Amino acid sequence: METGKLVDLVDELLSTTRPLPVVRAGDPVLRQPTTPYEGQLGAERFGRLVEAMKESMRAAPGVGLAAPQVGIPLRLAVVEDPVDLPPELRGTRPEMPVEVREIRGRVPLPFRVLVNPLYEPVGERRAAFFEGCLSIPGWQAVVARHEHVRLRGEDETGRSFDEEFSGWPARIVQHETDHLDGTLYLDRAELRSLATHEAVARHWQQPTPADAALALGFPLPELKPER
């Protein structure tokens, strides 16, 4: 996208009320390639966009938000998974049993800004769990993702990073980076597992989706040993 158009689009977005509205599936912006960020917005405007995205992610609440989800086709995302917030700060986030956290590798992921991120698998192990998306509200489906990934990109200051993520943090950065390539989680999901939030809460609260796979008739990945 041309710099002038991108600046105008961001200025228009930042002039709206907060939290920013989340774009829903079916909007073309969620399926278009994003523009790499190379300083087009300037430090002040970029900082306001990041702050608005952080506020909107937390208000949703969610654990990640990509720029296309607020209508901006820019290779930018924010992530954060506090996991263990006390009840007075958790809001509508459900409390997760310790057993579930451990099996899913759900550990706190401090707030991060991902600029121009790219990931690649580390090893061959995949993990399958129910997953949702703020752009597809009310639904979840089982997605098999790489258990370990290497993520490269820059932070909000332009400093490069090259890090490995595992467990649930790896799932989050894959999900958000996929958004920047025009990919939604349903593109990778076992569609026979598709279920409403209410159905997941009623039937599929087990630590793994093994029971759901048997009952709904979808395969789970075969775990391969680490090399």
Side-chain angles (χ1 to χ4, degrees):
M1 175 177 282
E2 295 178 2
T3 297
K5 291 182 178 179
L6 180 62
V7 168
D8 289 345
L9 193 59
V10 171
D11 283 346
E12 181 180 359
L13 177 69
L14 294 177
S15 69
T16 61
T17 57
R18 304 285 184 86
L20 303 175
V22 175
V23 173
R24 303 292 178 86
D27 192 304
V29 72
L30 294 175
R31 293 304 197 175
Q32 296 169 352
T34 52
T35 300
Y37 184 65
E38 298 172 344
Q40 301 97 313
L41 300 179
E44 189 273 338
R45 183 181 285 106
F46 179 76
R48 287 193 290 124
L49 175 60
V50 167
E51 188 63 28
M53 289 175 60
K54 177 172 70 173
E55 178 184 342
S56 300
M57 172 185 66
R58 290 176 173 176
V63 295
L65 189 69
Q69 292 182 277
V70 292
I72 305 297
L74 194 63
R75 199 164 187 85
L76 166 69
V78 295
V79 296
E80 181 183 48
D81 189 5
V83 180
D84 51 2
L85 284 175
E88 63 270 18
L89 298 178
R90 194 165 58 239
T92 59
R93 297 174 188 261
E95 185 174 7
M96 182 170 291
V98 173
E99 179 189 11
V100 175
R101 291 189 200 176
E102 291 178 349
I103 289 177
R104 297 183 182 180
R106 190 91 183 251
V107 295
L109 175 62
F111 178 75
R112 296 282 301 268
V113 179
L114 309 180
V115 179
N116 302 326
L118 294 169
Y119 70 82
E120 61 183 58
V122 176
E124 298 181 1
R125 290 178 64 89
R126 294 191 302 155
F129 294 105
F130 276 99
E131 186 174 316
C133 179
L134 297 179
S135 291
I136 310 173
W139 297 88
Q140 298 181 45
V142 172
V143 183
R145 291 195 182 272
H146 305 298
E147 196 168 70
H148 303 272
V149 295
R150 179 181 184 182
L151 187 73
R152 297 183 179 92
E154 298 91 44
D155 65 14
E156 64 272 33
T157 70
R159 183 179 299 126
S160 296
F161 62 80
D162 184 342
E163 301 177 29
E164 291 188 10
F165 292 80
S166 61
W168 209 260
R171 179 171 295 269
I172 292 171
V173 299
Q174 288 173 81
H175 180 116
E176 299 308 326
T177 303
D178 280 355
H179 270 300
L180 306 180
D181 295 323
T183 299
L184 298 178
Y185 85 97
L186 286 180
D187 299 329
R188 302 188 184 279
E190 293 292 342
L191 291 184
R192 289 184 68 93
S193 71
L194 187 64
T196 63
H197 287 335
E198 293 79 10
V200 172
R202 181 177 180 182
H203 300 291
W204 313 126
Q205 286 297 292
Q206 301 86 357
T208 77
D211 288 350
L214 287 174
L216 301 178
F218 62 89
L220 291 177
E222 179 181 354
L223 290 181
K224 297 180 179 180
E226 297 282 13
R227 291 179 176 177

